[in-house]
Amino acid sequence: MNGRDLVRSVKMVGSVQGLRAVRSSLRRRNADARALPRRGAERARVPGLVVGAEPGPGGGVVRFARSELRVRVAVGGAVFWGWDGAEPLPSYALAGAAPEADPRAELEPDKDGGWQVVSERLTVAVSRHGAVELRTPGGVVLRRELPPRWWEPVAGGAARWVQRSEVPADARFFGLGGRASGPRLRDGAYELWNTDPGGHFGPDDDPLYLTMPVQMVVSDAGTHLMFHDNTWSGRVTLREGEEGAGSGHDRPGMCEVRMDGGPLRCWVMAGTPARVLQGWTTLTGSPALPPSWALGPQHARWGFGSEREVRRIVAGYRERGLPLSVLHLDIDHYDAHRAFTVDRERFPDLPGLAKELLEDGVRLVSIVDPAVKAEPGDAVFDSGRALGSGGAFVRDARGRAVRGEAWPGECVYPDFTDPQVREWWGGLYEERLAQGFSGVWHDMNEPVSFAAFGDPTLPRSARHSLEGRGGDHREAHNVYGLAMARAGYEGLRRLRPEVRPFLFSRSGWAGMQRYGGTWSGDVETGWPGLRASLALVLGLGLCGVPYSGPDVGGFDGSPSPELYLRWFQLGAYLPLFRTHAAIDAGRREPWEFGPRVLEHARAALEERERLHPYFVTLAQLARLTGAPYVRPLWWGAPGERALRECEDAFLLGDALLVAPVLERGADRRAVRLPRGRWYDTATGEVYEGPGQVLLDAPLSRVPVLARAGSVLPVRAADGGVELEVWAPAAGRGGGGLVVLDAGDGWERAEVERYTSRLVDGEVRVEREGEDGPVNHPVRVRGL
């Protein structure tokens, strides 16, 4: 920790608590110095030459002079390989058991003394030196993994390793979790260590709260997803390739993954983007389905302060005829910031308030932090200490509960990698439900330290259960938020089994979609922060986390009316549509920015409500297929290079293209169109893609275009569902999927498939598999 960290700590949490945080940081560093041996001299190792092979289910084991490589093709086409005996399990990413091996895939000799496994979707070729090459069925190379290298401490300890890869010269990288500089990841280094950047962040800050070693690579050769299943800290260095001019040689793209320890094991899946994410979802679990009310407008602010202020905010929405589905309470509603408590002076009847708001159609959602005040008499602290034989909290190498500094003061931290602790913690949410809350959002769960933002609260030497295997915080840190989300989600399911839990978490890891979504965290207020908001949602969707959104308006500072409105208009088309701000950052209610902003914000809210059935459909499809609600423009045509370069617009499902305004003062903007016919939903103008068009973007709206032939469900004037159909071009058809809202329970939803076609100047809409008229009202547009 340097002097700037100290100043920031003192300014943020007050001098007394700030100094306690400094003491906590020093304790942590001393604990690591005692418990973690210095690496000292290291011995480098590479696989060496191949010495033999042993076929097995779905592939087999290739043996080298100093290592061995296990290759296995799973049913469904995903490919696993692991060095030095690494197996698919145990894994925090996988939803359960590892997928079964594909019996049709066999290990067989390849040229030059190597070996290969041929499957339906990929050929895996292993060279005699240990390079691994991924090829399409047509023989085109998607990726080439060079032989890895390990550095093993002579005195013993975790071996660090590096894996370098080559990809085609035209390839573009996406993913790696939440990256503010994305969605396309340009040349540079990206850290793998979940981190609070300290108060706020912008596009240049890395890492952030939610990192994961999941990269999607798109090139002319095809699309593939690469996942290094390793939870340790690491770094991914990327360099895009360059195609040779004339007769010049191509320079391939490069990816280098360096990890400080843990297994070297990977999963790869290839195909179209939709097929790749469906395979990823099959492997890591279906996204949790949010309740339908969580797809409506949500409002939060750190600093509501009292029941009176909450009522004032909700009344403000209702008096102005603005829709509102959810209101979030931040840490200021707790008693001295202690989780699972209520400040009775400011919130004397929280259950009564929740009931009153629910009658008005507004649900309450509560923040939950993992830090537990280390004070005898605190109910959570006492019950945690009494749990099992060793208590619920993370311990140091000497067996003492690790203490850090967070909002409640000196705190201890539950070990969510222990199943018994997860069950205990999940039971605590009964108090939140009794207070009338309908859902929770997890914050500060990287976990974070006030003393030195960017460092963990817990020392790297802290001991964790890791599902009974045992290990330290170097392995557990990145999955701490994921395991907390699991504890909360499973607890809510046990406590209220008849309804779907609503939970989203600031931190997490690969597979977190099983338990809910995430949000941007403390994005800075400014035009760069607005652009980063879109990058985060797009990037996370490509990593299998479809439900996310930013703090509309930015977390810190005061946005100008124009910036707030443009952020609001973007948020209206993102899965999680929530305004939020810091305690000293001013209000985020639409009427606080003047009558003109209020008028235009009202239009955005009304359009969000009109599209609510479409968002319900997208949520259900995400659960079934893994396809994100928000998709890059290249989603349906990854071979279109111009679309791969476009980062300032997105597809909302298959039907809509949204082009938010991300620059100050802009009232027109260029929009890159995918192939086909597109209608401007505001003006009805028709455009043909592929190509680029210049569209009006007045302050009142952002450009939104509909794909010709699309059939999408919208809310009718009477509150029911109608089908909005955009006329297909002559000689072409169209269609769409509709999943009706089946309630917030576990009822199985029915997928309705519709087609549209133009016959003698008339648009005809039919439901597949059924004769007779369509059950919903149909409104044709664009004809």
Side-chain angles (χ1 to χ4, degrees), residues 319-348:
E319 290 166 3
R320 295 167 177 85
L322 304 176
L324 179 67
S325 294
V326 185
L327 190 136
H328 299 248
L329 295 189
D330 211 317
I331 54 174
D332 50 296
H333 85 279
Y334 281 132
D335 180 10
H337 296 152
R338 293 177 298 127
F340 306 110
T341 65
V342 177
D343 186 327
R344 299 295 180 183
E345 290 187 8
R346 293 183 294 168
F347 291 86

Side-chain angles (χ1 to χ4, degrees), residues 117-173:
V117 180
V118 180
S119 69
E120 182 180 1
R121 298 180 185 174
L122 279 175
T123 294
V124 185
V126 182
S127 79
R128 61 194 182 97
H129 294 284
V132 180
E133 198 168 82
L134 300 171
R135 306 175 191 147
T136 67
V140 179
V141 176
L142 288 175
R143 189 183 190 101
R144 185 169 189 267
E145 303 282 308
L146 303 179
R149 180 181 294 268
W150 295 265
W151 288 271
E152 299 166 328
V154 173
R160 58 190 180 94
W161 54 261
V162 61
Q163 173 76 74
R164 295 185 177 92
S165 312
E166 294 177 349
V167 296
D170 67 291
R172 296 292 180 259
F173 297 97

Side-chain angles (χ1 to χ4, degrees), residues 454-761:
D455 283 347
T457 293
L458 306 181
R460 293 178 187 244
S461 58
R463 304 300 299 171
H464 289 263
S465 167
L466 290 168
E467 315 308 316
R469 293 182 289 111
D472 61 38
H473 196 63
R474 294 175 296 176
E475 182 179 357
H477 173 83
N478 280 336
V479 295
Y480 189 87
L482 171 74
M484 181 185 179
R486 178 180 179 181
Y489 181 84
E490 292 178 348
L492 290 171
R493 284 204 62 171
R494 289 194 305 270
L495 293 167
R496 192 170 290 176
E498 70 279 5
V499 298
R500 301 193 299 269
F502 177 56
L503 182 151
F504 61 102
S505 171
R506 190 169 79 172
S507 184
W509 202 65
M512 69 171 296
Q513 74 275 358
R514 299 191 296 266
Y515 313 119
T518 184
W519 90 104
S520 67
D522 303 340
V523 61
E524 68 179 21
T525 297
W527 293 93
L530 172 59
R531 186 174 290 271
S533 296
L534 177 56
L536 286 162
V537 175
L538 281 167
L540 287 164
L542 295 175
C543 293
V545 185
Y547 184 83
S548 69
D551 285 347
V552 168
F555 181 72
D556 67 324
S558 299
S560 67
E562 180 192 9
L563 174 60
Y564 172 82
L565 180 59
R566 292 308 195 188
W567 219 317
F568 201 87
Q569 290 166 335
L570 168 63
Y573 294 97
L574 299 181
L576 172 59
F577 179 23
R578 184 182 83 145
T579 58
H580 186 46
I583 194 169
D584 56 352
R587 301 186 184 278
R588 289 291 189 272
E589 294 79 52
W591 56 87
E592 296 291 343
F593 295 86
R596 187 167 66 151
V597 170
L598 174 59
E599 176 189 356
H600 301 330
R602 182 194 310 280
L605 284 167
E606 290 174 349
E607 181 64 5
R608 173 64 177 232
E609 288 293 275
R610 194 181 76 88
L611 291 174
H612 188 270
Y614 187 47
F615 275 93
V616 169
T617 294
L618 295 178
Q620 292 278 2
L621 295 180
R623 179 182 66 86
L624 293 171
T625 69
Y629 313 32
V630 171
R631 308 165 187 178
L633 293 189
W634 49 260
W635 177 260
E640 296 283 347
R641 294 191 179 188
L643 297 180
R644 296 206 294 259
E645 308 297 322
C646 183
E647 302 177 273
D648 60 357
F650 59 91
L651 298 174
L652 181 60
D654 285 332
L656 299 179
L657 188 159
V658 182
V661 175
L662 306 176
E663 297 179 357
R664 180 190 289 112
D667 59 5
R668 303 191 81 193
R669 61 151 296 172
V671 179
R672 175 70 61 179
L673 298 180
R675 191 174 302 276
R677 175 171 293 180
W678 297 86
Y679 296 93
D680 187 315
T681 59
T683 68
E685 290 289 324
V686 181
Y687 303 95
E688 295 288 342
Q692 184 169 283
V693 296
L694 189 63
L695 300 181
D696 289 332
L699 198 60
S700 60
R701 62 179 175 84
V702 296
V704 178
L705 297 101
R707 190 190 302 270
S710 295
V711 178
L712 63 155
V714 298
R715 183 168 289 167
D718 62 0
V721 173
E722 70 177 12
L723 301 182
E724 183 170 271
V725 182
W726 290 88
R732 302 179 192 171
L737 303 176
V738 176
V739 184
L740 299 181
D741 189 350
D744 295 330
W746 301 97
E747 295 84 358
R748 183 181 179 87
E750 182 182 1
V751 179
E752 302 175 0
R753 301 176 182 271
Y754 293 91
T755 60
S756 66
R757 54 196 176 101
L758 192 64
V759 180
D760 298 330

Side-chain angles (χ1 to χ4, degrees), residues 75-387:
V75 172
V79 176
F80 169 85
W81 71 77
W83 288 93
D84 290 350
E87 295 278 359
L89 296 175
S91 170
Y92 276 97
L94 271 60
E100 294 183 4
D102 186 345
R104 299 171 297 175
E106 298 180 355
L107 185 66
E108 58 188 35
D110 195 15
K111 59 185 179 181
D112 299 328
W115 294 81
Q116 69 174 7
V117 180
V118 180
S119 69
E120 182 180 1
R121 298 180 185 174
L122 279 175
T123 294
V124 185
V126 182
S127 79
R128 61 194 182 97
H129 294 284
V132 180
E133 198 168 82
L134 300 171
R135 306 175 191 147
T136 67
V140 179
V141 176
L142 288 175
R143 189 183 190 101
R144 185 169 189 267
E145 303 282 308
L146 303 179
R149 180 181 294 268
W150 295 265
W151 288 271
E152 299 166 328
V154 173
R160 58 190 180 94
W161 54 261
V162 61
Q163 173 76 74
R164 295 185 177 92
S165 312
E166 294 177 349
V167 296
D170 67 291
R172 296 292 180 259
F173 297 97
F174 301 87
L176 294 182
R179 304 290 169 172
S181 60
R184 172 184 160 194
L185 302 177
R186 289 171 169 77
D187 296 0
Y190 300 88
E191 300 292 333
L192 297 171
W193 188 256
N194 292 347
T195 303
D196 182 343
H200 64 267
F201 69 87
D204 296 330
D205 290 302
D206 186 273
L208 299 179
Y209 316 94
L210 203 168
T211 69
M212 58 177 83
V214 179
Q215 51 183 288
M216 183 173 281
V217 185
V218 185
S219 67
D220 290 352
T223 301
H224 71 273
L225 181 146
M226 183 79 175
F227 169 49
H228 289 85
D229 194 352
N230 183 313
T231 66
W232 285 59
S233 62
R235 171 181 295 181
V236 178
T237 303
L238 302 176
R239 187 191 68 196
E240 292 182 347
E242 184 176 344
E243 293 182 295
S247 60
H249 293 289
D250 287 353
R251 177 173 62 81
M254 184 274 292
C255 171
E256 178 186 275
V257 179
R258 288 182 177 269
M259 303 299 291
D260 293 334
L264 175 42
R265 57 182 180 175
C266 313
W267 286 94
V268 182
M269 44 214 72
T272 64
R275 175 173 282 184
V276 164
L277 275 184
Q278 186 167 24
W280 175 245
T281 298
T282 300
L283 183 68
T284 62
S286 297
L289 186 65
S292 61
W293 51 262
L295 298 171
Q298 307 184 36
H299 188 85
R301 192 175 80 238
W302 176 16
F304 281 138
S306 67
E307 288 187 10
R308 179 179 178 182
E309 179 67 3
V310 168
R311 288 190 173 92
R312 187 190 73 82
I313 296 299
V314 174
Y317 274 87
R318 293 297 179 249
E319 290 166 3
R320 295 167 177 85
L322 304 176
L324 179 67
S325 294
V326 185
L327 190 136
H328 299 248
L329 295 189
D330 211 317
I331 54 174
D332 50 296
H333 85 279
Y334 281 132
D335 180 10
H337 296 152
R338 293 177 298 127
F340 306 110
T341 65
V342 177
D343 186 327
R344 299 295 180 183
E345 290 187 8
R346 293 183 294 168
F347 291 86
D349 184 15
L350 192 51
L353 174 65
K355 182 179 179 182
E356 173 189 326
L357 296 183
L358 185 58
E359 292 172 352
D360 202 23
V362 178
R363 289 167 171 79
L364 284 182
V365 168
S366 171
I367 191 173
V368 175
D369 289 356
V372 175
K373 188 171 181 61
E375 181 178 85
D378 180 275
V380 178
F381 178 68
D382 289 345
S383 65
R385 281 201 302 177
L387 185 70

Side-chain angles (χ1 to χ4, degrees), residues 425-467:
W425 183 263
L428 299 177
Y429 288 74
E430 184 174 12
E431 183 273 341
R432 294 287 87 186
L433 297 179
Q435 297 296 341
F437 289 106
S438 299
V440 296
W441 51 295
H442 288 171
D443 200 359
M444 305 288 286
N445 59 338
E446 291 72 37
V448 67
S449 168
F450 284 159
F453 284 95
D455 283 347
T457 293
L458 306 181
R460 293 178 187 244
S461 58
R463 304 300 299 171
H464 289 263
S465 167
L466 290 168
E467 315 308 316

